[in-house]
Amino acid sequence: MSFPRPRTRALCAAVLYLGTVAAAGLLGDGSVVPYALAFPGSAVLVVLLFAASAALDSGEPPADSASALGPLVYVVGGALVNVLLVWTAVSFARVFVRDCRAARRARRA
């Protein structure tokens, strides 16, 4: 039996999460479930979209910046932001642990 490498498993988990959120966004008729699945990322995405539109335009954010694609943009974009946040946190933790171990080995020598 062959097990996938850890990075492959992480990539599969990220794709599965994005697919689940996208499917919930497509199947949910304006319900709270897709937004709850992508909560912190969707809030960050909305703030970034409104800040970018305010910086590029006259300072007033549009009423609905993604009207052609609907709220699915916010849900899937928020899920993508969540994946990037988790990836950054895990990368930082790996670097921190590696540096702590190197410092501990340097003190022993």
Side-chain angles (χ1 to χ4, degrees):
M1 179 181 265
S2 175
F3 291 103
R5 293 181 16 197
R7 292 182 192 255
T8 305
R9 284 183 287 175
L11 181 62
C12 289
V15 169
L16 181 67
Y17 171 67
L18 287 173
T20 303
V21 170
L26 285 174
L27 297 176
D29 296 331
S31 65
V32 179
V33 173
Y35 292 104
L37 288 174
F39 166 61
S42 60
V44 169
L45 183 70
V46 167
V47 169
L48 289 176
L49 285 176
F50 283 145
S53 67
L56 295 175
D57 290 338
S58 64
E60 297 179 11
D64 189 15
S65 60
S67 61
L69 297 173
L72 189 63
V73 171
Y74 298 120
V75 173
V76 175
L80 185 61
V81 170
N82 284 343
V83 168
L84 293 174
L85 287 172
V86 169
W87 177 71
T88 303
V90 169
S91 297
F92 175 77
R94 285 180 180 166
V95 168
F96 183 75
V97 167
R98 185 180 65 220
D99 287 347
C100 285
R101 287 180 181 165
R104 191 177 307 140
R105 279 192 302 260
R107 277 185 277 170
R108 287 183 190 166

